[in-house]
Amino acid sequence: MFLNLIIPCSTSDADYFFDWFIPFASANQFSFKYLVILNGSFVQLCYQELKIESVTIFSITRPLFPGQARNIALDCIDDGHLAFIDARTIVSSEWLQFAHDFHLNHSESSCLGSVHFLASRPWHLPLIASTYGFNQLSCLPGSVIHRKAFSRAGYFLPNVRAGEDIDWIWRASRLQLFIDCEIPPALKYYLDPDLDIFYYLRKWFRNYSCTSGLPYVSDTQRTFYAFFLFVSASIVSYVWNSLFAKWNELSHLYIPFISRTVVSVFILLYLFLRCIYLPLKKGTSLMDLLKTFYLVVPISIALDVVKLIAFFPPLLRNSRSFVK
């Protein structure tokens, strides 16, 4: 039984994908099978070189969501292990050896993969520190999963632009389908050097807009609770002296400079947790954080504002449903 590697690839990633995949598949040192799902307006010349027996290509002229593309490949596999790779991830020889050994030694088991995000430009360092982090991040790419797991946990959500992979991992984890084993060698993902910060802000908005209603998302409410706690505390501090102390400085309820004190405490707490504690926890070195802190702060604030805006409509819908 072969190990099948499933790789969805859209038009925008085609050039990058074929540059690394053609020599990679030609080597095929472990005799893997490759199922590539091309979706979008492809020119056939771009993959005519892939006349390789181990590679099967499905060319879909319309754009597909990631879950749709992966589900097409799943329908072609009846049994055995399969692994997922993204078009922009870089596969190491260590991961290939791990996948090969896992496939041979764990007949019907599954394990999660991981990815390591890397900078292509200097400003990517504060971006990664504010988002993914520099530690290995558990994810679907790099996972080695037995086909039977999809019979139990179901297929990927086909109609969402983002989050279908985390949703499936959440469902599979609840069924305890992943075994405890050594952490697989991480796939590498270099941020695209041609994209600017506004691309990532749009991506952040798109991803959180798409995933905010999915059941695995648990930080939606916490985000708004923290936001409204800040707003409420600020309002209370603003009216405290007039409402409770009647602006009498001799009153034991009078608190000098209460408004600026409360706001300052919240700002300092946010900066510490969001821009110092979390980046360090996610693997950013102290030296890199000190060098890029002046960028970590505005990037973190911008991303959090985008996230809050993306979460707002679903929260309103949930509130109206609760009222009804």
Side-chain angles (χ1 to χ4, degrees), residues 49 70 145-146 286 289:
E49 295 182 54
R70 294 189 179 107
I145 303 173
H146 197 272
L286 180 59
L289 183 60

Side-chain angles (χ1 to χ4, degrees), residues 50-251:
L50 277 174
K51 302 298 183 182
I52 305 172
E53 185 179 354
S54 61
V55 178
T56 301
I57 295 179
F58 296 90
S59 183
I60 312 297
T61 56
R62 70 183 189 281
L64 299 175
F65 289 129
Q68 288 177 300
R70 294 189 179 107
N71 290 343
I72 289 174
L74 288 175
D75 283 334
C76 302
I77 302 173
D78 297 323
D79 198 9
H81 282 103
L82 51 95
F84 292 97
I85 299 176
D86 281 352
R88 298 195 67 86
T89 50
I90 298 176
V91 180
S92 66
S93 58
E94 291 80 11
W95 181 86
L96 290 172
Q97 184 67 58
F98 171 87
H100 175 263
D101 294 343
F102 187 91
H103 168 62
L104 294 179
N105 299 327
H106 299 82
S107 58
E108 295 187 359
S109 300
S110 303
C111 71
L112 269 178
S114 63
V115 67
H116 187 196
F117 287 89
L118 300 169
S120 301
R121 291 186 178 276
W123 68 269
H124 287 167
L125 291 173
L127 176 64
I128 296 175
S130 301
T131 53
Y132 309 107
F134 294 94
N135 296 326
Q136 288 186 215
L137 187 65
S138 295
C139 60
L140 185 69
S143 300
V144 183
I145 303 173
H146 197 272
R147 180 62 179 81
K148 291 182 178 179
F150 293 94
S151 300
R152 295 187 60 191
Y155 277 25
F156 297 102
L157 297 178
N159 298 318
V160 294
R161 179 62 185 85
E164 82 296 333
D165 51 350
I166 305 177
D167 171 80
W168 189 87
I169 291 173
W170 178 77
R171 284 183 275 139
S173 298
R174 286 168 63 94
L175 296 172
Q176 299 181 335
L177 298 183
F178 301 114
I179 67 169
D180 291 327
C181 64
E182 61 176 307
I183 300 175
L187 304 184
K188 296 180 180 180
Y189 186 100
Y190 283 92
L191 299 192
D192 193 329
D194 297 326
L195 301 175
D196 57 22
I197 184 62
F198 296 104
Y199 166 83
Y200 292 98
L201 292 176
R202 291 192 298 270
K203 179 179 179 179
W204 224 242
F205 179 80
R206 180 201 69 196
N207 287 358
Y208 278 101
S209 297
C210 293
T211 60
S212 57
L214 297 179
Y216 75 86
V217 178
S218 60
D219 60 350
T220 307
Q221 297 294 340
R222 290 199 300 270
T223 300
F224 274 94
Y225 289 156
F227 173 72
F228 285 117
L229 174 63
F230 167 73
V231 172
S232 302
S234 299
I235 293 173
V236 170
S237 67
Y238 183 77
V239 302
W240 179 272
N241 286 330
S242 63
L243 189 63
F244 295 103
K246 308 301 181 183
W247 290 113
N248 179 8
E249 296 185 9
L250 299 178
S251 171

